[in-house]
Amino acid sequence: ALHMAFEVAEATRSIRISQLLHDFSRLISPIVMWATSARDASATQLKQKGWLTHEFKAKINQSKPQGFPELLTEPEIEKHLKSQSSELQSSVWLWKQDITKVADDINELHLAKELKESRAFFDRVEKSPLNDEQAKAVICFDNRVLLVASAGSGKTSTMVAKAGYALEKGYFEADKILLLAFNNDAAAELRERIKVRLEPLGLTADKVVAKTFHAFGLDVIGAATGRRPSLAQWVENGKDLEVLLDIVDELKDKDANFRTNWDLFRLVLGQDLPEFGKESESPDSWDSNASRPGFRTLNNEVVKSRGEQLIANWLFYNGVNYVYESPYIHETADATHRQYRPDFYFPDINAYLEHWALNGRGEPPPEFEGYAESMAWKRKLHSDAGTTLLQTTMAGLWSGEAFEYLANELTKHGITLDPNPERPAPGRKPIENPRLARTFRSFLTHAKSNRMTMETLRTRMDGGAAGHFRYRHNIFLNLFEQIFEAWERKLRSDQCIDFDDMLNLAGDCVEQGKWNSPFELVMIDEFQDASQARARLVAGLVQKPGRCLFAVGDDWQSINRFAGADLAVMTDFESKFGQAVTLKLETTFRC
């Protein structure tokens, strides 16, 4: 029965193969048509745009005929195929390949060819001949190219040469090329270099557009809406920090709670707390008396942990007299143990304070061996001796409950709290008002650039985005909300916008189709300094098919976080702009 079944199956298969061979020309025709079209399209793409881009490869892949694998793996079909024309065999071969790899191989051949054939151009386009790294970056015209250019590696020369090469080859018309820089000096240098280097080569360099993001954004909004907005003079003239300080002063005068929180943050809460169990790591000072590293307080002690530093600064701010690690009133030293020294002693009320490394569940870090036993011993010692012991925990600091507890307990025991931000600090200097204002100015820029509302910010905080120290973060957001509202009121009163508004509005105009960008090649200088708002505007400029983005930067040279730069725009480039080629300039000419 099995033998008969096998014979029937073979006969059925033979009939099917005969039918496929009979229909071969009709069945193979879509593959031949596709392969011919793919070859022709590739040749045209290389000639007109100089690169088989990610977009082009995706289009060829999408048009690839489907449903033939089983047919083409039949031995009889493979044998029959060998008797066909070389064109047909070549078409089937191409159809079987990974088109992305084939296109990448073609690009590599094209790159090698252009490095030789365009060497004369690369040698004279700039004062110094381009090296191979620079020339390869010039030749590559994929849809998205990120060029990581180390310091002194000739990135400006590469950008100027790329614009010239695009014009020389006819890949892009001059008025379709846009170069964006981050400040007026950089934009002016690009314009001058393009004029001086490209015009003598007979290229229409005067039509290439090189602008700052701000000038370009204002142009976009004006063209899209018919009304060019006014940038606030105090922002444009670099007086924004002065205005923010004025806002803070006004809020402090009008709102006692704002004033208290501002000073509390400046003197006590300016530094975040580290990860649980890591409070003693990364010391910043040296205790010469104990010959050990630690953390200097406002009162000029060097304490062992960030948590203790926070408590000491809070006590100093409130005028509480304390002694750090004073010997316990009763002798406890023996042959194997030193004298017990509680964290803090309050001589005015003869009370002690121990700060425990405990989380919200009352647990110490797992790596703190013997910690629970030591706590129990100290608590019992105070209980047996009848001494007053106040206790705080890390979890209490995170939530702020520790400060409320200390205020209540110290007051109950007879200490009058005297918060005074002007009290002279003999140790670590408090954060000065301008420095804290700069932090809020930077935060304002990032919040607006990322279009984060107060609701969004609080949701992120509640979700743990900023870490454990919720009390600190909540006070910061409360201060920020009032500053933000006052900032926006001033802009409305002056009938102006700031830079972040401008970038967001320009991005809206592009994304929503209110302004149709004519630019097909967009090149960005100092890309490591891009903010999220700038990135959104750039993404909008190259969202249409056939657009190319060439972004040049170096994550190691990023220094403008304070001004809104978000390094993730560069380090996570593909998530924002799509699949990309990453190239590098690693040869420096500065030494």
Side-chain angles (χ1 to χ4, degrees), residues 165 191 383 388 522 537:
Y165 181 76
R191 285 193 296 269
S383 176
T388 301
V522 179
L537 174 57

Side-chain angles (χ1 to χ4, degrees), residues 56-302:
F56 176 82
K57 289 182 280 190
K59 186 176 180 181
I60 296 298
N61 262 321
Q62 288 168 5
S63 66
K64 190 175 183 180
Q66 302 297 317
F68 295 91
E70 183 180 353
L71 165 67
L72 294 176
T73 55
E74 295 287 355
E76 289 83 352
I77 298 298
E78 290 184 338
K79 181 179 179 181
H80 179 68
L81 183 61
K82 292 178 181 178
S83 68
Q84 302 301 304
S85 68
S86 59
E87 179 187 357
L88 191 147
Q89 291 185 52
S90 174
S91 296
V92 173
W93 175 88
L94 181 61
W95 180 84
K96 288 181 176 180
Q97 303 308 304
D98 177 346
I99 295 304
T100 297
K101 184 179 185 307
V102 172
D104 289 344
D105 290 342
I106 293 172
N107 282 333
E108 284 299 314
L109 291 172
H110 171 75
L111 181 64
K113 172 175 167 286
E114 282 300 305
L115 282 173
K116 292 180 180 179
E117 294 185 358
S118 295
R119 176 44 62 186
F121 174 84
F122 298 142
D123 285 348
R124 73 179 189 273
V125 66
E126 275 285 309
K127 288 182 179 180
S128 298
L130 301 189
N131 63 22
D132 280 354
E133 288 179 341
Q134 293 170 310
K136 287 177 181 179
V138 168
I139 295 168
C140 180
F141 277 100
D142 214 324
N143 298 114
R144 308 287 183 265
V145 178
L146 175 63
L147 180 63
V148 182
S150 59
S153 60
K155 65 182 179 60
T156 304
S157 293
T158 305
M159 294 181 73
V160 171
K162 193 173 186 73
Y165 181 76
L167 295 174
E168 174 84 5
K169 291 290 185 177
Y171 298 153
F172 300 94
E173 297 176 14
D175 58 357
K176 306 295 185 187
I177 300 175
L178 170 67
L179 288 81
L180 290 174
F182 284 81
N183 58 59
N184 289 323
D185 290 343
E189 181 187 3
L190 284 172
R191 285 193 296 269
E192 179 65 17
R193 289 272 286 272
I194 287 171
K195 176 181 173 66
V196 170
R197 302 309 308 174
L198 302 187
E199 285 187 353
L201 301 180
L203 302 174
T204 54
D206 59 314
K207 293 184 179 180
V208 174
V209 179
K211 292 187 174 183
T212 64
F213 271 95
H214 297 143
F216 178 72
L218 291 172
D219 288 346
V220 168
I221 299 168
T225 65
R227 186 175 183 275
R228 188 181 178 92
S230 297
L231 277 170
Q233 289 238 327
W234 37 278
V235 172
E236 198 167 12
N237 296 336
K239 304 293 185 183
D240 49 328
L241 184 60
E242 292 179 23
V243 168
L244 193 140
L245 277 167
D246 289 341
I247 287 173
V248 169
D249 286 340
E250 291 174 9
L251 289 170
K252 287 166 70 175
D253 290 341
K254 291 191 302 184
D255 187 336
N257 187 57
F258 180 93
R259 181 172 63 253
T260 296
N261 282 338
W262 175 270
D263 289 330
L264 180 65
F265 198 93
R266 189 169 63 83
L267 274 79
V268 180
L269 304 176
Q271 285 185 292
D272 201 356
L273 285 171
E275 184 181 345
F276 184 51
K278 310 295 184 184
E279 292 82 11
S280 297
E281 295 186 2
S282 303
D284 57 16
S285 296
W286 178 257
D287 185 346
S288 57
N289 294 324
S291 296
R292 66 188 180 195
F295 306 89
R296 192 166 300 279
T297 70
L298 295 173
N299 203 32
N300 208 29
E301 304 96 4
V302 177

